Every structure is written in structure tokens, then in C-alpha cells.
Amino acid sequence: MAVTPKVGARFRSVVCKTEVIVLKGPGTPTDLACGGAPMVPAGSEGGVAGAVDPQHRGGTKVGKRYGDAENTLELLCSKGGEGSLSIGNTPLGEKAVKPLPASD
């Protein structure tokens, strides 16, 4: 199920507790997934159902940012879980922390 991730939109996993907020979106339909299953809008009905695909069990961490290699999508994890984030079968990597400028 392709969704168009817009800045500020919230999505949740259907196979684990992961929830994310879109910080940067491509503006085009995207196969956003977690744990190998499509993500749904955070306010949608239903709870966690099914199991995390073993190939997508990398996990997500609260407060971490995740994005694609092209830097067209950036997500902030607001609730961690055992599934890993992906666009289709392409995993999203954890973004590196930017160092703060030195104060002299």
C-alpha cells in the first residue's frame, strides 16, 4: 500500500509498536514499511496484528532519525519497536548525529 508521506504526518506499524513522524517527504507515493509490512496512518483502526518478518527485525529506537540513501525521506521514531523501517524491501538507515558547533 503506497502512501504519500507529507511533513508532520504520523504512521504506525501493524506488526510491532513502531511509530514515526515524517520530517522530510518525497511528495510522491511511497511503499513505507516496518517489519516487512506496510505502515498505516497513526490514527487508523486496529492494533498490532501479525509478526515481524525475520529479515526486517533490525528494530527502531525512540528519538532516532531514519532516511533513505537519496535523502528524499526522513522519519523520526516516536515509539520504538522490533521491526526495521524500509521503503518496500530497501532498508532505511539510521541518520548520523550532526555534531554541535564548538562554543569558545
Side-chain angles (χ1 to χ4, degrees):
M1 175 177 93
V3 294
T4 303
K6 295 181 181 178
V7 174
R10 300 171 63 92
F11 292 93
R12 68 173 178 84
S13 174
V14 296
V15 294
C16 71
K17 296 180 179 181
T18 299
E19 291 186 13
V20 297
I21 301 168
V22 178
L23 300 178
K24 182 178 185 181
T28 58
T30 304
D31 291 324
L32 187 59
C34 181
M39 295 188 84
V40 296
S44 62
E45 295 289 319
V48 174
V52 175
D53 182 332
Q55 295 180 336
H56 298 276
R57 194 177 282 277
T60 53
K61 300 174 190 166
V62 174
K64 297 294 182 180
R65 294 172 184 237
Y66 296 86
D68 61 350
E70 295 80 29
N71 201 30
T72 60
L73 177 68
E74 187 172 342
L75 306 172
L76 174 65
C77 180
S78 59
K79 193 176 209 182
E82 55 186 273
S84 58
L85 298 168
S86 63
I87 296 176
N89 283 325
T90 306
L92 296 180
E94 189 175 315
K95 306 274 281 189
V97 177
K98 295 178 185 174
L100 294 174
S103 60
D104 294 328

